[in-house]
Amino acid sequence: MNNTKKCEYCGKEININYTICPFCGGRLSEAVKSIQPVCPRCKVSLKTTVSNGEEYHICPLCGGMWLDKAAFRRATSEYNVYRNENIKDEYKKEPIKDTIEYIPCVRCGKLMNRKNFSRISGVMIDECGRHGVWLDNSELEKIRHFIADGGLEKAQDREIERNRIKIEEVAADVEHTAFVQKVLHFWNFKRWLFGG
């Protein structure tokens, strides 16, 4: 069984699971399975829909949708969200459901990670780091609403505040350590014991 492949940039043999070549740093293209995408919840074939030049794969039963990484990035970019004039009222965060169910990626079949979009939105998305994002019914609209209501700025403000507190804690630790070193140096026990 061959567990290596050739890097498409430098030609060296590397592990088949690598996405970045350890020798040259080139990002390797991955051949996505050319299978009909299936809903990870309902197990039915997804219907492909094109809207505003973007391709979405939508489940006809539950309304969930698969977005490849680039399509998700564009759908949730501030530029695209702010162009939408339909979002007017204030975003209301819903409580996160207690039940956690991990679902497989539409492209590779591996279990996806669950994460709170932008850490504070309250919208739990299922993400495959290599291929894309699964959104349950209406989650894309909730994410876009969160962004339109300034949610990304709020998340950035929280991150800045968290970093400021950590920097203050580190500064206090450094100051305390410097003080202890000065005290130890001042009260050099050899000098004290031998009177020198």
Side-chain angles (χ1 to χ4, degrees):
M1 183 156 111
N2 189 6
N3 290 334
T4 62
K5 63 182 176 182
K6 282 192 183 286
C7 171
E8 53 200 68
Y9 300 102
C10 67
K12 294 185 178 171
E13 291 287 325
I14 59 171
N15 187 304
I16 59 172
N17 296 320
Y18 289 171
T19 57
I20 297 176
C21 176
F23 299 108
C24 69
R27 181 168 290 279
L28 307 171
S29 59
E30 183 179 353
V32 177
K33 296 177 186 176
S34 59
I35 58 171
Q36 175 64 29
V38 174
C39 175
R41 299 204 187 277
C42 306
K43 310 296 184 230
V44 298
S45 293
L46 300 177
K47 303 292 182 205
T48 303
T49 307
V50 177
S51 174
N52 297 330
E54 290 295 335
E55 190 174 276
Y56 301 99
H57 303 285
I58 301 173
C59 176
L61 297 180
C62 69
M65 72 169 48
W66 171 261
L67 293 132
D68 290 321
K69 281 173 68 170
F72 181 70
R73 207 171 19 256
R74 286 189 296 272
T76 58
S77 75
E78 291 178 85
Y79 172 76
N80 284 331
V81 170
Y82 291 137
R83 286 182 20 199
N84 184 353
E85 297 174 3
N86 297 334
I87 304 173
K88 295 191 185 336
D89 54 340
E90 183 180 348
Y91 176 75
K92 291 180 178 61
K93 179 178 168 181
E94 295 176 5
I96 296 174
K97 297 176 184 128
D98 290 338
T99 58
I100 298 174
E101 180 186 348
Y102 293 96
I103 57 176
C105 171
V106 169
R107 300 288 185 208
C108 66
K110 294 181 181 175
L111 290 180
M112 293 187 280
N113 293 320
R114 290 187 52 79
K115 69 177 199 176
N116 188 351
F117 177 79
S118 193
R119 293 187 178 174
I120 64 168
S121 68
V123 181
M124 297 300 292
I125 62 174
D126 299 284
E127 179 179 47
C128 174
R130 289 186 174 184
H131 301 113
V133 174
W134 175 263
L135 300 171
D136 291 323
N137 191 14
S138 77
E139 284 183 341
L140 181 60
E141 291 78 24
K142 290 176 186 174
I143 289 171
R144 291 173 61 86
H145 194 160
F146 167 78
I147 293 168
D149 199 36
L152 292 180
E153 289 86 7
K154 291 174 189 170
Q156 290 168 349
D157 290 345
R158 281 190 177 183
E159 188 67 25
I160 289 168
E161 181 61 19
R162 234 186 329 264
N163 289 337
R164 186 190 64 74
I165 291 170
K166 285 180 185 176
I167 289 169
E168 285 178 356
E169 289 171 355
V170 169
D173 288 345
V174 167
E175 191 175 305
H176 178 70
T177 303
F179 173 75
V180 169
Q181 286 177 338
K182 284 179 183 177
V183 167
L184 289 175
H185 181 68
F186 180 76
W187 292 104
N188 186 327
F189 292 111
K190 286 183 182 178
R191 189 177 68 187
W192 181 70
L193 281 173
F194 301 113

